[in-house]
mmCIF file of all heavy atoms in Angstrom:
data_model
loop_
_atom_site.group_PDB
_atom_site.id
_atom_site.type_symbol
_atom_site.label_atom_id
_atom_site.label_comp_id
_atom_site.label_asym_id
_atom_site.label_seq_id
_atom_site.Cartn_x
_atom_site.Cartn_y
_atom_site.Cartn_z
ATOM 1 N N ARG A 51 32.575 -67.297 -31.167
ATOM 2 C CA ARG A 51 33.972 -67.302 -30.751
ATOM 3 C C ARG A 51 34.889 -67.873 -31.848
ATOM 4 O O ARG A 51 36.040 -67.477 -31.991
ATOM 5 C CB ARG A 51 34.121 -68.107 -29.452
ATOM 6 C CG ARG A 51 33.658 -67.362 -28.208
ATOM 7 C CD ARG A 51 34.080 -68.076 -26.948
ATOM 8 N NE ARG A 51 33.362 -69.344 -26.774
ATOM 9 C CZ ARG A 51 32.234 -69.462 -26.089
ATOM 10 N NH1 ARG A 51 31.683 -68.397 -25.514
ATOM 11 N NH2 ARG A 51 31.639 -70.632 -25.958
ATOM 12 N N ASP A 52 34.347 -68.819 -32.595
ATOM 13 C CA ASP A 52 35.146 -69.443 -33.649
ATOM 14 C C ASP A 52 35.207 -68.593 -34.908
ATOM 15 O O ASP A 52 36.047 -68.839 -35.784
ATOM 16 C CB ASP A 52 34.577 -70.829 -33.991
ATOM 17 C CG ASP A 52 34.708 -71.789 -32.808
ATOM 18 O OD1 ASP A 52 35.580 -71.537 -31.949
ATOM 19 O OD2 ASP A 52 33.932 -72.758 -32.739
ATOM 20 N N ALA A 53 34.281 -67.632 -35.021
ATOM 21 C CA ALA A 53 34.255 -66.789 -36.214
ATOM 22 C C ALA A 53 35.428 -65.807 -36.196
ATOM 23 O O ALA A 53 36.141 -65.660 -35.204
ATOM 24 C CB ALA A 53 32.931 -66.034 -36.292
ATOM 25 N N GLY A 54 35.600 -65.088 -37.262
ATOM 26 C CA GLY A 54 36.684 -64.118 -37.345
ATOM 27 C C GLY A 54 36.444 -62.939 -36.426
ATOM 28 O O GLY A 54 35.350 -62.760 -35.886
ATOM 29 N N PRO A 55 37.449 -62.110 -36.168
ATOM 30 C CA PRO A 55 37.306 -60.960 -35.263
ATOM 31 C C PRO A 55 36.180 -60.022 -35.711
ATOM 32 O O PRO A 55 36.041 -59.731 -36.907
ATOM 33 C CB PRO A 55 38.669 -60.271 -35.358
ATOM 34 C CG PRO A 55 39.602 -61.333 -35.832
ATOM 35 C CD PRO A 55 38.795 -62.202 -36.739
ATOM 36 N N LYS A 56 35.416 -59.578 -34.745
ATOM 37 C CA LYS A 56 34.333 -58.633 -35.019
ATOM 38 C C LYS A 56 34.823 -57.218 -34.735
ATOM 39 O O LYS A 56 35.451 -56.967 -33.700
ATOM 40 C CB LYS A 56 33.114 -58.951 -34.161
ATOM 41 C CG LYS A 56 31.967 -57.980 -34.390
ATOM 42 C CD LYS A 56 30.785 -58.286 -33.508
ATOM 43 C CE LYS A 56 29.666 -57.247 -33.726
ATOM 44 N NZ LYS A 56 28.494 -57.509 -32.891
ATOM 45 N N LYS A 57 34.504 -56.309 -35.624
ATOM 46 C CA LYS A 57 34.940 -54.934 -35.461
ATOM 47 C C LYS A 57 34.014 -54.201 -34.490
ATOM 48 O O LYS A 57 32.793 -54.227 -34.626
ATOM 49 C CB LYS A 57 34.953 -54.212 -36.800
ATOM 50 C CG LYS A 57 35.525 -52.795 -36.717
ATOM 51 C CD LYS A 57 35.615 -52.153 -38.085
ATOM 52 C CE LYS A 57 36.192 -50.742 -37.999
ATOM 53 N NZ LYS A 57 36.291 -50.097 -39.326
ATOM 54 N N VAL A 58 34.597 -53.556 -33.478
ATOM 55 C CA VAL A 58 33.833 -52.783 -32.494
ATOM 56 C C VAL A 58 34.551 -51.466 -32.251
ATOM 57 O O VAL A 58 35.761 -51.333 -32.519
ATOM 58 C CB VAL A 58 33.675 -53.543 -31.159
ATOM 59 C CG1 VAL A 58 32.832 -54.798 -31.324
ATOM 60 C CG2 VAL A 58 35.033 -53.883 -30.566
ATOM 61 N N HIS A 59 33.814 -50.497 -31.749
ATOM 62 C CA HIS A 59 34.393 -49.223 -31.344
ATOM 63 C C HIS A 59 34.536 -49.222 -29.825
ATOM 64 O O HIS A 59 33.657 -49.701 -29.108
ATOM 65 C CB HIS A 59 33.512 -48.045 -31.777
ATOM 66 C CG HIS A 59 33.502 -47.844 -33.259
ATOM 67 N ND1 HIS A 59 32.454 -48.226 -34.049
ATOM 68 C CD2 HIS A 59 34.433 -47.284 -34.097
ATOM 69 C CE1 HIS A 59 32.710 -47.927 -35.315
ATOM 70 N NE2 HIS A 59 33.910 -47.358 -35.369
ATOM 71 N N THR A 60 35.644 -48.691 -29.349
ATOM 72 C CA THR A 60 35.915 -48.698 -27.912
ATOM 73 C C THR A 60 36.302 -47.307 -27.435
ATOM 74 O O THR A 60 36.638 -46.424 -28.231
ATOM 75 C CB THR A 60 37.058 -49.678 -27.576
ATOM 76 O OG1 THR A 60 38.242 -49.264 -28.256
ATOM 77 C CG2 THR A 60 36.690 -51.098 -27.980
ATOM 78 N N LEU A 61 36.261 -47.152 -26.129
ATOM 79 C CA LEU A 61 36.674 -45.899 -25.487
ATOM 80 C C LEU A 61 37.466 -46.254 -24.247
ATOM 81 O O LEU A 61 37.027 -47.069 -23.433
ATOM 82 C CB LEU A 61 35.460 -45.053 -25.113
ATOM 83 C CG LEU A 61 35.767 -43.699 -24.472
ATOM 84 C CD1 LEU A 61 36.359 -42.752 -25.501
ATOM 85 C CD2 LEU A 61 34.510 -43.100 -23.870
ATOM 86 N N LEU A 62 38.632 -45.676 -24.114
ATOM 87 C CA LEU A 62 39.482 -45.951 -22.968
ATOM 88 C C LEU A 62 38.963 -45.185 -21.760
ATOM 89 O O LEU A 62 38.743 -43.975 -21.826
ATOM 90 C CB LEU A 62 40.921 -45.545 -23.272
ATOM 91 C CG LEU A 62 42.005 -46.154 -22.368
ATOM 92 C CD1 LEU A 62 42.025 -47.669 -22.495
ATOM 93 C CD2 LEU A 62 43.353 -45.561 -22.713
ATOM 94 N N SER A 63 38.754 -45.886 -20.650
ATOM 95 C CA SER A 63 38.202 -45.268 -19.446
ATOM 96 C C SER A 63 39.114 -45.535 -18.265
ATOM 97 O O SER A 63 39.536 -46.672 -18.032
ATOM 98 C CB SER A 63 36.804 -45.836 -19.154
ATOM 99 O OG SER A 63 36.295 -45.341 -17.936
ATOM 100 N N ASN A 64 39.453 -44.478 -17.555
ATOM 101 C CA ASN A 64 40.250 -44.587 -16.332
ATOM 102 C C ASN A 64 39.353 -44.384 -15.121
ATOM 103 O O ASN A 64 38.523 -43.479 -15.090
ATOM 104 C CB ASN A 64 41.357 -43.534 -16.307
ATOM 105 C CG ASN A 64 42.393 -43.770 -17.376
ATOM 106 O OD1 ASN A 64 42.892 -44.879 -17.519
ATOM 107 N ND2 ASN A 64 42.705 -42.740 -18.152
ATOM 108 N N ALA A 65 39.519 -45.229 -14.102
ATOM 109 C CA ALA A 65 38.739 -45.096 -12.868
ATOM 110 C C ALA A 65 39.081 -43.784 -12.174
ATOM 111 O O ALA A 65 40.229 -43.336 -12.195
ATOM 112 C CB ALA A 65 39.005 -46.272 -11.949
#
Side-chain angles (χ1 to χ4, degrees):
R51 283 192 291 268
D52 295 337
K56 179 182 178 180
K57 185 176 180 180
V58 295
H59 291 103
T60 61
L61 182 71
L62 198 62
S63 175
N64 293 311

